[in-house]
Amino acid sequence: MLKVRLTKELLSSSPLKISLMINKVLCIDDDQITLVLCEMVIKKAGFATEVITAKNGREGLTWFSEYFSKKNKTEKQEPPQLIFLDLNMPVMNGWDFLEDYLMKYFDRLPETRVVIISSTVNPEDFSRANRYDIVIDFINKPLTIEGLEDLMQHEQLAAFF
């Protein structure tokens, strides 16, 4: 009976839209609550299949180091297509992460992009972010479904949606 009901619903509804999304997103932020909220919003919006997190830039770089290690290559793990990056963090801030990532990993993952997500109001941060081709957007905290919907329309991400 369930099969018949589903068939009727499918036949009577408008054309099906296949839901596409980014496979993996890496969120780097020192605030655990922000990381949990980001993951919830990303999943609720249908933005990404998998969300991984790091508490600072150094942890983010460690993820990529492990990804490229010989041990990990046998696991067939995919890299993130998008990184949500906070700027102000202890241990290693977002700017330092970005510089190290560009030197060590960008040439091996040229399709991965960065969205800065920060509570900064410093105009220099916005200006500095614009100097990086890898940075495609700058979003004020907190991350929202509306913000993700805007990102889905971004020319460098539209192919995922």
Side-chain angles (χ1 to χ4, degrees), residues 41-64:
V41 170
I42 288 167
K43 289 189 175 183
K44 184 172 183 174
F47 187 82
T49 305
E50 182 181 356
V51 179
I52 52 177
T53 61
K55 294 178 189 150
N56 57 60
R58 185 168 293 143
E59 278 190 20
L61 290 173
T62 298
W63 189 94
F64 286 101

Side-chain angles (χ1 to χ4, degrees), residues 5 9 29 31 65 76 79 91 93 96 111 125 129 160-161:
R5 188 177 302 141
E9 288 174 4
D29 198 303
D31 181 51
S65 174
K76 306 254 182 188
V91 182
N93 68 34
D96 292 339
E111 302 300 316
D125 287 333
F160 291 107
F161 302 100

Side-chain angles (χ1 to χ4, degrees), residues 48-156:
T49 305
E50 182 181 356
V51 179
I52 52 177
T53 61
K55 294 178 189 150
N56 57 60
R58 185 168 293 143
E59 278 190 20
L61 290 173
T62 298
W63 189 94
F64 286 101
S65 174
E66 290 172 0
Y67 172 78
F68 285 108
S69 73
K70 290 182 182 180
K71 175 186 173 201
N72 196 340
K73 290 187 186 227
T74 62
E75 295 176 13
K76 306 254 182 188
Q77 188 175 19
E78 290 185 38
Q81 287 104 353
L82 188 66
I83 301 168
F84 285 106
L85 179 64
D86 185 25
L87 295 178
N88 299 312
M89 297 177 285
V91 182
M92 178 182 271
N93 68 34
W95 299 121
D96 292 339
F97 167 84
L98 201 52
E99 288 295 327
D100 279 7
Y101 176 86
L102 287 169
M103 286 189 306
K104 296 175 182 174
Y105 305 112
F106 179 69
D107 61 333
R108 295 191 261 180
L109 298 171
E111 302 300 316
T112 298
R113 294 290 173 250
V114 174
V115 172
I116 293 178
I117 180 166
S118 180
S119 56
T120 186
V121 292
N122 184 347
E124 176 54 32
D125 287 333
F126 296 100
S127 174
R128 188 173 178 185
N130 284 327
R131 294 183 212 140
Y132 294 92
D133 291 336
I134 191 173
V135 176
I136 62 168
D137 208 343
F138 198 115
I139 297 176
N140 289 319
K141 283 184 179 179
L143 186 62
T144 63
I145 290 177
E146 293 80 15
L148 290 176
E149 288 171 348
D150 288 344
L151 273 177
M152 289 177 189
Q153 305 303 315
H154 193 285
E155 65 183 32
Q156 293 191 41

